[in-house]
mmCIF file with all atom_site columns, all heavy atoms in Angstrom:
data_model
loop_
_atom_site.group_PDB
_atom_site.id
_atom_site.type_symbol
_atom_site.label_atom_id
_atom_site.label_alt_id
_atom_site.label_comp_id
_atom_site.label_asym_id
_atom_site.label_entity_id
_atom_site.label_seq_id
_atom_site.pdbx_PDB_ins_code
_atom_site.Cartn_x
_atom_site.Cartn_y
_atom_site.Cartn_z
_atom_site.occupancy
_atom_site.B_iso_or_equiv
_atom_site.pdbx_formal_charge
_atom_site.auth_seq_id
_atom_site.auth_comp_id
_atom_site.auth_asym_id
_atom_site.auth_atom_id
_atom_site.pdbx_PDB_model_num
ATOM   1  N  N   . GLN Q 1 39 ? 78.019 53.664 205.631 1.00 96.00 ? 338 GLN Q N   1
ATOM   2  C  CA  . GLN Q 1 39 ? 77.950 54.729 206.620 1.00 96.00 ? 338 GLN Q CA  1
ATOM   3  C  C   . GLN Q 1 39 ? 78.875 54.538 207.821 1.00 96.00 ? 338 GLN Q C   1
ATOM   4  O  O   . GLN Q 1 39 ? 79.117 53.422 208.260 1.00 96.00 ? 338 GLN Q O   1
ATOM   5  C  CB  . GLN Q 1 39 ? 76.516 54.876 207.159 1.00 96.00 ? 338 GLN Q CB  1
ATOM   6  C  CG  . GLN Q 1 39 ? 75.508 55.259 206.133 1.00 96.00 ? 338 GLN Q CG  1
ATOM   7  C  CD  . GLN Q 1 39 ? 74.871 54.063 205.460 1.00 96.00 ? 338 GLN Q CD  1
ATOM   8  O  OE1 . GLN Q 1 39 ? 75.531 53.086 205.181 1.00 96.00 ? 338 GLN Q OE1 1
ATOM   9  N  NE2 . GLN Q 1 39 ? 73.591 54.146 205.196 1.00 96.00 ? 338 GLN Q NE2 1
ATOM   10 N  N   . CYS Q 1 56 ? 64.179 56.413 205.524 1.00 98.00 ? 355 CYS Q N   1
ATOM   11 C  CA  . CYS Q 1 56 ? 64.818 55.294 204.802 1.00 98.00 ? 355 CYS Q CA  1
ATOM   12 C  C   . CYS Q 1 56 ? 63.802 54.579 203.894 1.00 98.00 ? 355 CYS Q C   1
ATOM   13 O  O   . CYS Q 1 56 ? 62.803 54.048 204.370 1.00 98.00 ? 355 CYS Q O   1
ATOM   14 C  CB  . CYS Q 1 56 ? 65.425 54.315 205.798 1.00 98.00 ? 355 CYS Q CB  1
ATOM   15 S  SG  . CYS Q 1 56 ? 66.198 52.919 204.974 1.00 98.00 ? 355 CYS Q SG  1
ATOM   16 N  N   . CYS Q 1 60 ? 65.678 49.764 206.380 1.00 97.00 ? 359 CYS Q N   1
ATOM   17 C  CA  . CYS Q 1 60 ? 66.790 48.897 206.798 1.00 97.00 ? 359 CYS Q CA  1
ATOM   18 C  C   . CYS Q 1 60 ? 67.486 49.388 208.066 1.00 97.00 ? 359 CYS Q C   1
ATOM   19 O  O   . CYS Q 1 60 ? 68.418 48.739 208.540 1.00 97.00 ? 359 CYS Q O   1
ATOM   20 C  CB  . CYS Q 1 60 ? 67.790 48.728 205.662 1.00 97.00 ? 359 CYS Q CB  1
ATOM   21 S  SG  . CYS Q 1 60 ? 68.571 50.238 205.149 1.00 97.00 ? 359 CYS Q SG  1
ATOM   22 N  N   . CYS Q 1 88 ? 69.985 47.867 202.206 1.00 97.00 ? 387 CYS Q N   1
ATOM   23 C  CA  . CYS Q 1 88 ? 70.373 49.289 202.096 1.00 97.00 ? 387 CYS Q CA  1
ATOM   24 C  C   . CYS Q 1 88 ? 70.836 49.561 200.668 1.00 97.00 ? 387 CYS Q C   1
ATOM   25 O  O   . CYS Q 1 88 ? 71.626 48.802 200.113 1.00 97.00 ? 387 CYS Q O   1
ATOM   26 C  CB  . CYS Q 1 88 ? 71.501 49.597 203.077 1.00 97.00 ? 387 CYS Q CB  1
ATOM   27 S  SG  . CYS Q 1 88 ? 72.202 51.246 202.857 1.00 97.00 ? 387 CYS Q SG  1
ATOM   28 N  N   . CYS Q 1 91 ? 71.539 55.180 199.465 1.00 96.00 ? 390 CYS Q N   1
ATOM   29 C  CA  . CYS Q 1 91 ? 70.924 56.309 198.762 1.00 96.00 ? 390 CYS Q CA  1
ATOM   30 C  C   . CYS Q 1 91 ? 71.325 57.656 199.357 1.00 96.00 ? 390 CYS Q C   1
ATOM   31 O  O   . CYS Q 1 91 ? 71.079 58.691 198.771 1.00 96.00 ? 390 CYS Q O   1
ATOM   32 C  CB  . CYS Q 1 91 ? 69.407 56.168 198.774 1.00 96.00 ? 390 CYS Q CB  1
ATOM   33 S  SG  . CYS Q 1 91 ? 68.701 56.297 200.428 1.00 96.00 ? 390 CYS Q SG  1
ATOM   34 N  N   . CYS Q 1 94 ? 69.488 58.969 204.661 1.00 98.00 ? 393 CYS Q N   1
ATOM   35 C  CA  . CYS Q 1 94 ? 69.612 58.991 206.129 1.00 98.00 ? 393 CYS Q CA  1
ATOM   36 C  C   . CYS Q 1 94 ? 70.643 60.014 206.570 1.00 98.00 ? 393 CYS Q C   1
ATOM   37 O  O   . CYS Q 1 94 ? 70.470 60.697 207.585 1.00 98.00 ? 393 CYS Q O   1
ATOM   38 C  CB  . CYS Q 1 94 ? 69.964 57.600 206.651 1.00 98.00 ? 393 CYS Q CB  1
ATOM   39 S  SG  . CYS Q 1 94 ? 71.422 56.871 205.894 1.00 98.00 ? 393 CYS Q SG  1
HETATM 40 S  S1  . SF4 V 2 .  ? 71.486 54.891 202.630 1.00 52.20 ? 800 SF4 V S1  1
HETATM 41 FE FE1 . SF4 V 2 .  ? 69.294 54.930 202.104 1.00 52.20 ? 800 SF4 V FE1 1
HETATM 42 S  S2  . SF4 V 2 .  ? 68.657 52.798 202.148 1.00 52.20 ? 800 SF4 V S2  1
HETATM 43 FE FE2 . SF4 V 2 .  ? 70.623 52.907 203.249 1.00 52.20 ? 800 SF4 V FE2 1
HETATM 44 S  S3  . SF4 V 2 .  ? 70.116 53.201 205.425 1.00 52.20 ? 800 SF4 V S3  1
HETATM 45 FE FE3 . SF4 V 2 .  ? 70.351 55.242 204.532 1.00 52.20 ? 800 SF4 V FE3 1
HETATM 46 S  S4  . SF4 V 2 .  ? 68.292 55.871 203.874 1.00 52.20 ? 800 SF4 V S4  1
HETATM 47 FE FE4 . SF4 V 2 .  ? 68.249 53.640 204.194 1.00 52.20 ? 800 SF4 V FE4 1
#
Side-chain angles (χ1 to χ4, degrees):
Q338 298 90 321
C355 179
C359 62
C387 172
C390 66
C393 54

